[in-house]
Amino acid sequence: MIDSIDEAIALRLQDDLPLVKEPYLHMAKELGITEEEVICRIENLKKRKVLRRIGAVLHHQKAGIKANAMVVWEVPEDQIQEAARLMASYDEISHCYQRQTLPKWPYNLYTMIHAKSREACEALIKEIAERTSIYRYEVLFSTKELKKISMKYFVGSR
C-alpha cells in the first residue's frame, strides 16, 4: 500500500519535472514536506518496486536535433562486443543493442543516431563504418514522430 503522500509524489513524477535546479525541493514545497523526505520516499518506492525507474524524455526537435536514423549493422559475431562498445561511446547514439538475425534480415546490431542534420547523421555513420570496418548496414531515417508521452499509472486530483 502507498499513502497519500507517496501517491502525490508518484503523480508528480509521471509528469514533467519542473525545470529548476532542485526539482525535488520544488516538489517538497508543494507537498509541505522536506526534500529529504521526498528523496527517501522515492527510494522506498523503488525498493518496494512500486516505482521502477525515473526517465527523461528529450524533445529532440526543440533541442535542435532534426535527423534521427536507426542504423542496422551486419556484424560478425566475434566483433559484436567491440563494435557495440565503440558505437555506444558516441554521444549521438542513444540506443545500441544486439538482435537475432532472420533469414532475409542479416542485421544483428542496431543503433539509434540523432544529429542536427541528415548530412551529419550520414557523416557519423560513415565514420563508424570506417572505424569498425563494418560496411554492411542499412539506414532507416525517421520521417515523423509518432509518440512522445509516458504511461500514466496514477490519476488523481491535484
Side-chain angles (χ1 to χ4, degrees), residues 95-113:
H95 298 73
C96 180
Y97 49 91
Q98 183 178 5
R99 288 281 188 249
Q100 289 186 337
T101 59
L102 297 169
K104 293 184 180 183
W105 189 257
Y107 308 104
N108 56 356
L109 191 60
Y110 291 55
T111 55
M112 191 67 197
I113 299 177

Side-chain angles (χ1 to χ4, degrees), residues 22-97:
E22 296 172 308
Y24 296 140
L25 178 59
H26 181 84
M27 186 184 302
K29 287 178 180 177
E30 284 183 353
L31 297 171
I33 59 177
T34 66
E35 180 182 30
E36 294 76 25
E37 186 175 351
V38 168
I39 293 168
C40 183
R41 283 175 173 270
I42 290 170
E43 288 171 351
N44 187 276
L45 289 169
K46 282 189 74 176
K47 271 186 212 161
R48 293 173 32 215
K49 301 194 188 294
V50 173
L51 177 68
R52 195 171 51 173
R53 67 182 180 89
I54 298 173
V57 174
L58 172 66
H59 296 277
H60 58 275
Q61 288 161 339
K62 290 180 183 176
I65 297 170
K66 304 294 184 204
N68 302 287
M70 173 66 74
V71 184
V72 293
W73 307 83
E74 185 179 339
V75 183
E77 279 301 315
D78 63 339
Q79 294 176 30
I80 285 277
Q81 292 301 316
E82 184 180 342
R85 203 172 351 272
L86 180 124
M87 292 176 188
S89 74
Y90 282 87
D91 289 341
E92 297 89 346
I93 295 180
S94 63
H95 298 73
C96 180
Y97 49 91

Side-chain angles (χ1 to χ4, degrees), residues 1-11 41 44-46 48-51 153-154:
M1 293 299 297
I2 66 171
D3 65 20
S4 61
I5 295 174
D6 286 341
E7 184 177 344
I9 290 170
L11 277 165
R41 283 175 173 270
N44 187 276
L45 289 169
K46 282 189 74 176
R48 293 173 32 215
K49 301 194 188 294
V50 173
L51 177 68
Y153 295 98
F154 290 91

